Coordinates of all heavy atoms in Angstrom, one line a residue:
N76 N -46.3 -82.1 35.2 CA -46.9 -82.4 36.5 C -46.3 -81.6 37.6 O -46.9 -81.1 38.5 CB -46.7 -83.9 36.7 CG -47.7 -84.8 36.1 OD1 -48.9 -84.4 36.1 ND2 -47.2 -85.9 35.6
D77 N -44.9 -81.3 37.5 CA -44.2 -80.5 38.5 C -44.8 -79.1 38.5 O -44.9 -78.3 39.5 CB -42.8 -80.5 38.4 CG -42.1 -81.8 38.7 OD1 -42.8 -82.7 39.3 OD2 -40.9 -82.0 38.3
A78 N -45.3 -78.6 37.3 CA -45.7 -77.2 37.2 C -47.2 -77.1 37.5 O -47.8 -76.0 37.5 CB -45.5 -76.7 35.8
G79 N -47.8 -78.2 37.7 CA -49.3 -78.3 38.1 C -50.2 -77.9 36.9 O -51.2 -77.4 37.1
L80 N -49.7 -78.3 35.7 CA -50.4 -78.0 34.5 C -51.4 -79.2 34.1 O -50.9 -80.4 34.3 CB -49.5 -77.7 33.3 CG -48.8 -76.3 33.4 CD1 -47.6 -76.3 32.4 CD2 -49.7 -75.2 33.2
V81 N -52.5 -78.8 33.6 CA -53.5 -79.9 33.1 C -53.0 -80.4 31.8 O -52.9 -79.5 30.8 CB -54.9 -79.4 33.2 CG1 -55.9 -80.4 32.6 CG2 -55.3 -79.0 34.6
F82 N -52.8 -81.6 31.5 CA -52.5 -82.0 30.1 C -53.1 -83.4 29.9 O -53.4 -84.2 30.8 CB -51.0 -82.2 30.0 CG -50.3 -83.3 30.8 CD1 -50.1 -84.5 30.1 CD2 -49.9 -83.1 32.1 CE1 -49.5 -85.5 30.8 CE2 -49.3 -84.1 32.8 CZ -49.1 -85.3 32.2
G83 N -53.2 -83.8 28.7 CA -53.6 -85.1 28.3 C -52.9 -85.6 27.1 O -52.1 -84.8 26.5
F84 N -53.2 -86.9 26.6 CA -52.5 -87.3 25.5 C -53.5 -87.6 24.3 O -54.7 -88.0 24.6 CB -51.8 -88.7 25.8 CG -50.6 -88.5 26.7 CD1 -50.5 -89.2 27.9 CD2 -49.6 -87.7 26.5 CE1 -49.4 -89.1 28.8 CE2 -48.5 -87.5 27.3 CZ -48.4 -88.2 28.5
V85 N -53.0 -87.5 23.1 CA -53.8 -87.9 21.9 C -53.1 -89.1 21.4 O -52.0 -89.1 21.1 CB -53.7 -86.7 20.9 CG1 -54.6 -87.2 19.7 CG2 -54.2 -85.4 21.4
M86 N -54.0 -90.2 21.4 CA -53.4 -91.4 20.9 C -54.2 -92.0 19.7 O -55.4 -91.8 19.5 CB -53.6 -92.5 22.1 CG -52.7 -92.4 23.2 SD -52.7 -93.8 24.4 CE -52.1 -95.1 23.3
K87 N -53.4 -92.8 18.9 CA -54.1 -93.5 17.9 C -53.6 -95.0 17.8 O -52.6 -95.3 18.5 CB -53.6 -92.9 16.5 CG -54.2 -91.4 16.2 CD -53.8 -91.0 14.9 CE -54.4 -89.6 14.7 NZ -54.1 -88.9 13.3
Y88 N -54.3 -95.8 17.1 CA -53.9 -97.2 17.0 C -54.0 -97.5 15.5 O -54.7 -97.0 14.8 CB -55.0 -98.1 17.8 CG -56.4 -97.8 17.5 CD1 -57.2 -98.3 16.4 CD2 -57.1 -96.9 18.4 CE1 -58.5 -98.1 16.3 CE2 -58.4 -96.7 18.1 CZ -59.1 -97.2 17.1 OH -60.4 -96.9 16.9
G89 N -53.1 -98.5 15.2 CA -52.9 -98.9 13.7 C -52.6 -97.7 12.9 O -52.9 -97.6 11.7
Q90 N -51.8 -96.8 13.5 CA -51.5 -95.5 12.8 C -50.4 -95.7 11.8 O -50.1 -94.7 11.1 CB -51.1 -94.4 13.8 CG -49.9 -94.8 14.7 CD -49.7 -93.7 15.8 OE1 -49.6 -92.5 15.5 NE2 -49.6 -94.1 17.1
S91 N -49.6 -96.6 11.7 CA -48.6 -96.9 10.7 C -48.5 -98.4 10.4 O -49.0 -99.2 11.1 CB -47.3 -96.3 11.2 OG -46.7 -97.1 12.3
Q92 N -47.8 -98.6 9.3 CA -47.7 -100.0 8.9 C -47.1 -101.0 9.9 O -47.3 -102.1 10.0 CB -46.9 -100.2 7.6 CG -47.6 -99.5 6.4 CD -48.9 -100.3 6.0 OE1 -48.8 -101.6 6.0 NE2 -50.0 -99.6 5.9
G93 N -46.2 -100.4 10.7 CA -45.5 -101.2 11.7 C -46.2 -101.3 13.1 O -45.8 -102.0 13.9
D94 N -47.3 -100.7 13.2 CA -48.0 -100.6 14.5 C -48.8 -102.0 14.7 O -49.2 -102.7 13.7 CB -49.1 -99.5 14.6 CG -49.5 -99.2 16.0 OD1 -48.8 -99.6 16.9 OD2 -50.5 -98.5 16.2
T95 N -48.8 -102.4 16.0 CA -49.4 -103.7 16.3 C -50.3 -103.5 17.5 O -50.3 -102.4 18.1 CB -48.4 -104.8 16.7 OG1 -47.8 -104.4 18.0 CG2 -47.4 -104.9 15.6
F96 N -51.3 -104.3 17.7 CA -52.2 -104.4 18.8 C -51.3 -104.3 20.1 O -51.8 -103.5 21.0 CB -53.2 -105.6 18.7 CG -54.3 -105.6 19.7 CD1 -55.0 -104.4 20.1 CD2 -54.5 -106.6 20.5 CE1 -56.0 -104.3 21.0 CE2 -55.5 -106.7 21.4 CZ -56.2 -105.5 21.7
K97 N -50.4 -105.1 20.2 CA -49.6 -105.2 21.4 C -48.9 -103.8 21.6 O -48.8 -103.3 22.8 CB -48.6 -106.3 21.4 CG -47.7 -106.4 22.6 CD -46.7 -107.5 22.5 CE -45.9 -107.6 23.9 NZ -45.2 -106.3 24.3
A98 N -48.4 -103.2 20.6 CA -47.6 -102.0 20.8 C -48.7 -100.9 21.1 O -48.3 -100.0 22.0 CB -47.0 -101.6 19.4
F99 N -49.9 -100.9 20.6 CA -50.9 -99.9 21.1 C -51.2 -100.1 22.6 O -51.3 -99.1 23.4 CB -52.2 -100.1 20.2 CG -53.4 -99.5 20.9 CD1 -53.4 -98.1 21.0 CD2 -54.4 -100.3 21.4 CE1 -54.6 -97.5 21.6 CE2 -55.5 -99.7 21.9 CZ -55.6 -98.3 22.0
R100 N -51.4 -101.3 23.0 CA -51.7 -101.5 24.4 C -50.5 -101.1 25.3 O -50.7 -100.5 26.3 CB -51.9 -103.1 24.7 CG -53.3 -103.5 24.0 CD -53.6 -104.9 24.3 NE -53.8 -105.2 25.7 CZ -54.5 -106.1 26.2 NH1 -55.4 -106.8 25.4 NH2 -54.7 -106.3 27.5
D101 N -49.3 -101.4 24.8 CA -48.1 -100.9 25.6 C -48.0 -99.4 25.7 O -47.7 -98.9 26.8 CB -46.8 -101.4 24.9 CG -46.6 -102.9 25.1 OD1 -47.3 -103.5 26.0 OD2 -45.7 -103.4 24.4
R102 N -48.4 -98.7 24.6 CA -48.4 -97.2 24.7 C -49.5 -96.8 25.7 O -49.3 -95.8 26.4 CB -48.8 -96.6 23.3 CG -47.6 -96.8 22.3 CD -47.8 -95.8 21.1 NE -48.9 -96.0 20.3 CZ -49.2 -96.9 19.4 NH1 -48.2 -97.8 19.1 NH2 -50.3 -97.0 18.8
L103 N -50.6 -97.4 25.7 CA -51.7 -97.0 26.6 C -51.3 -97.3 28.0 O -51.6 -96.4 28.9 CB -53.0 -97.8 26.2 CG -54.3 -97.4 27.1 CD1 -54.5 -96.0 27.0 CD2 -55.4 -98.2 26.6
D104 N -50.7 -98.4 28.4 CA -50.2 -98.7 29.7 C -49.2 -97.7 30.1 O -49.3 -97.2 31.2 CB -49.6 -100.1 29.7 CG -50.5 -101.2 29.5 OD1 -51.8 -101.0 29.7 OD2 -50.1 -102.3 29.2
F105 N -48.3 -97.3 29.2 CA -47.4 -96.3 29.5 C -48.0 -94.9 29.7 O -47.6 -94.2 30.7 CB -46.4 -96.2 28.3 CG -45.4 -95.0 28.5 CD1 -44.4 -95.0 29.4 CD2 -45.4 -94.0 27.6 CE1 -43.5 -93.9 29.5 CE2 -44.6 -92.9 27.7 CZ -43.7 -92.9 28.7
A106 N -48.9 -94.5 28.9 CA -49.6 -93.3 29.0 C -50.3 -93.1 30.4 O -50.1 -92.0 30.9 CB -50.5 -93.1 27.9
T107 N -51.0 -94.0 30.8 CA -51.7 -93.8 32.1 C -50.7 -93.8 33.3 O -51.0 -93.1 34.2 CB -52.6 -95.0 32.3 OG1 -51.9 -96.2 32.2 CG2 -53.7 -95.0 31.3
S108 N -49.5 -94.3 33.1 CA -48.5 -94.2 34.2 C -48.0 -92.8 34.4 O -47.4 -92.5 35.5 CB -47.3 -95.2 33.9 OG -46.5 -94.7 32.9
L109 N -48.2 -91.9 33.4 CA -47.7 -90.5 33.5 C -48.8 -89.5 34.1 O -48.6 -88.4 34.1 CB -47.3 -90.1 32.1 CG -46.1 -90.9 31.5 CD1 -45.7 -90.4 30.2 CD2 -44.9 -91.0 32.4
Y110 N -49.9 -90.0 34.5 CA -51.0 -89.3 35.2 C -51.5 -88.2 34.3 O -51.7 -87.0 34.7 CB -50.5 -88.7 36.5 CG -50.2 -89.8 37.5 CD1 -49.0 -90.4 37.7 CD2 -51.3 -90.1 38.4 CE1 -48.8 -91.4 38.6 CE2 -51.1 -91.1 39.4 CZ -49.8 -91.7 39.5 OH -49.7 -92.7 40.4
P111 N -52.0 -88.5 33.0 CA -52.6 -87.5 32.3 C -54.0 -87.2 32.7 O -54.6 -88.1 33.2 CB -52.6 -88.0 30.8 CG -52.7 -89.6 31.1 CD -51.8 -89.8 32.3
N112 N -54.4 -86.0 32.5 CA -55.8 -85.7 33.0 C -56.9 -86.4 32.1 O -57.9 -86.8 32.5 CB -56.1 -84.2 32.9 CG -57.4 -83.8 33.2 OD1 -57.8 -83.8 34.4 ND2 -58.2 -83.4 32.2
H113 N -56.5 -86.6 30.8 CA -57.4 -87.2 29.9 C -56.6 -87.8 28.7 O -55.4 -87.6 28.6 CB -58.3 -86.2 29.3 CG -57.7 -85.0 28.7 ND1 -57.3 -83.8 29.4 CD2 -57.3 -84.7 27.4 CE1 -56.7 -83.0 28.6 NE2 -56.6 -83.5 27.4
I114 N -57.2 -88.9 28.0 CA -56.6 -89.4 26.9 C -57.7 -89.4 25.8 O -58.8 -89.9 25.9 CB -56.2 -90.9 27.2 CG1 -55.2 -90.9 28.3 CG2 -55.6 -91.5 25.9 CD1 -54.8 -92.4 28.8
V115 N -57.3 -88.8 24.7 CA -58.2 -88.6 23.6 C -57.8 -89.6 22.4 O -56.6 -89.8 22.0 CB -58.1 -87.1 23.1 CG1 -59.0 -86.9 21.8 CG2 -58.4 -86.1 24.2
F116 N -58.8 -90.1 21.8 CA -58.7 -91.1 20.7 C -59.4 -90.5 19.4 O -60.7 -90.8 19.4 CB -59.2 -92.5 21.0 CG -58.4 -93.1 22.2 CD1 -58.9 -92.9 23.5 CD2 -57.4 -93.9 22.0 CE1 -58.3 -93.6 24.6 CE2 -56.7 -94.4 23.1 CZ -57.1 -94.3 24.4
P117 N -58.8 -89.7 18.6 CA -59.5 -89.2 17.5 C -60.3 -90.1 16.6 O -61.3 -89.8 16.0 CB -58.4 -88.5 16.7 CG -57.3 -88.3 17.6 CD -57.4 -89.3 18.6
Q118 N -59.8 -91.3 16.5 CA -60.4 -92.3 15.6 C -61.8 -92.7 16.1 O -62.6 -93.2 15.3 CB -59.5 -93.6 15.5 CG -58.3 -93.3 14.8 CD -57.1 -94.2 15.1 OE1 -56.8 -94.5 16.3 NE2 -56.5 -94.8 14.1
L119 N -62.1 -92.5 17.4 CA -63.4 -92.9 17.9 C -64.5 -91.9 17.2 O -65.7 -92.3 17.2 CB -63.5 -92.7 19.4 CG -62.6 -93.7 20.2 CD1 -62.8 -93.5 21.6 CD2 -63.1 -95.2 19.9
D120 N -64.1 -90.8 16.7 CA -65.1 -89.9 16.2 C -65.2 -90.1 14.6 O -65.8 -89.3 14.0 CB -64.7 -88.5 16.5 CG -64.8 -88.1 18.0 OD1 -65.7 -88.6 18.6 OD2 -63.9 -87.4 18.5
E121 N -64.5 -91.1 14.1 CA -64.5 -91.4 12.7 C -65.5 -92.5 12.5 O -65.6 -93.4 13.3 CB -63.0 -91.6 12.2 CG -62.1 -90.6 12.4 CD -60.6 -90.9 12.1 OE1 -60.4 -92.2 11.7 OE2 -59.7 -90.1 12.3
S122 N -66.1 -92.5 11.3 CA -67.1 -93.6 11.0 C -66.5 -94.9 10.6 O -67.2 -95.9 10.7 CB -67.9 -93.0 9.8 OG -67.1 -92.7 8.7
E123 N -65.3 -94.8 10.2 CA -64.6 -96.1 9.7 C -63.4 -96.4 10.5 O -62.6 -95.4 10.9 CB -64.3 -96.1 8.2 CG -65.5 -95.9 7.3 CD -65.2 -95.9 5.8 OE1 -64.1 -96.1 5.6 OE2 -66.1 -95.8 5.0
L124 N -63.0 -97.6 10.7 CA -61.8 -98.1 11.3 C -60.7 -97.9 10.4 O -60.9 -97.9 9.2 CB -61.9 -99.5 11.8 CG -62.7 -99.9 12.9 CD1 -62.8 -101.4 13.0 CD2 -62.3 -99.3 14.1
P125 N -59.4 -97.7 10.9 CA -58.3 -97.7 10.0 C -58.2 -99.0 9.2 O -58.6 -100.0 9.7 CB -57.0 -97.5 11.0 CG -57.8 -97.0 12.2 CD -59.0 -97.5 12.3
P126 N -57.6 -98.9 8.1 CA -57.4 -100.3 7.3 C -56.5 -101.2 8.2 O -55.5 -100.9 8.7 CB -56.8 -99.8 6.1 CG -56.0 -98.6 6.4 CD -57.0 -97.9 7.4
S127 N -56.9 -102.5 8.1 CA -56.1 -103.6 8.8 C -54.7 -103.7 8.0 O -54.6 -103.4 6.9 CB -56.8 -104.8 8.9 OG -57.2 -105.3 7.6
T128 N -53.8 -104.3 8.7 CA -52.4 -104.5 8.1 C -52.1 -106.0 8.4 O -52.9 -106.8 9.1 CB -51.4 -103.6 8.6 OG1 -51.2 -104.0 9.9 CG2 -51.8 -102.2 8.6
A129 N -50.9 -106.4 7.9 CA -50.5 -107.7 8.2 C -50.2 -108.0 9.7 O -50.2 -109.2 10.1 CB -49.2 -108.0 7.3
V130 N -49.9 -107.0 10.4 CA -49.6 -107.1 11.8 C -50.7 -106.5 12.7 O -50.5 -106.5 14.0 CB -48.2 -106.5 12.2 CG1 -47.1 -107.3 11.4 CG2 -48.2 -105.0 11.7
F131 N -51.7 -105.9 12.2 CA -52.8 -105.3 13.0 C -54.1 -105.7 12.2 O -54.6 -105.0 11.4 CB -52.6 -103.8 13.1 CG -53.2 -103.2 14.3 CD1 -52.5 -102.3 15.0 CD2 -54.5 -103.5 14.8 CE1 -53.0 -101.7 16.2 CE2 -54.9 -103.0 15.9 CZ -54.2 -102.1 16.7
S132 N -54.6 -106.9 12.6 CA -55.8 -107.4 11.9 C -57.0 -106.5 12.1 O -57.2 -105.7 13.1 CB -56.0 -108.8 12.3 OG -56.5 -108.9 13.7
S133 N -58.1 -106.8 11.3 CA -59.4 -106.2 11.5 C -60.0 -106.4 12.9 O -60.6 -105.6 13.5 CB -60.3 -106.5 10.4 OG -60.6 -107.9 10.4
K134 N -59.8 -107.7 13.3 CA -60.3 -108.2 14.7 C -59.6 -107.3 15.7 O -60.1 -106.9 16.7 CB -60.1 -109.6 14.9 CG -60.7 -110.1 16.2 CD -60.6 -111.7 16.2 CE -61.2 -112.2 17.4 NZ -61.1 -113.6 17.5

Side-chain angles (χ1 to χ4, degrees):
N76 279 320
D77 288 347
L80 290 167
V81 175
F82 73 94
F84 291 126
V85 180
M86 286 192 64
K87 292 184 178 181
Y88 47 87
Q90 58 183 306
S91 68
Q92 287 298 311
D94 199 12
T95 66
F96 183 47
K97 181 182 183 303
F99 163 67
R100 292 181 61 148
D101 287 345
R102 290 197 301 276
L103 181 55
D104 291 343
F105 171 73
T107 58
S108 74
L109 301 181
Y110 293 87
N112 178 70
H113 53 277
I114 302 176
V115 178
F116 300 89
Q118 291 156 311
L119 292 178
D120 296 321
E121 299 171 1
S122 59
E123 296 182 3
L124 289 171
S127 60
T128 69
V130 293
F131 209 132
S132 69
S133 58
K134 187 175 182 180

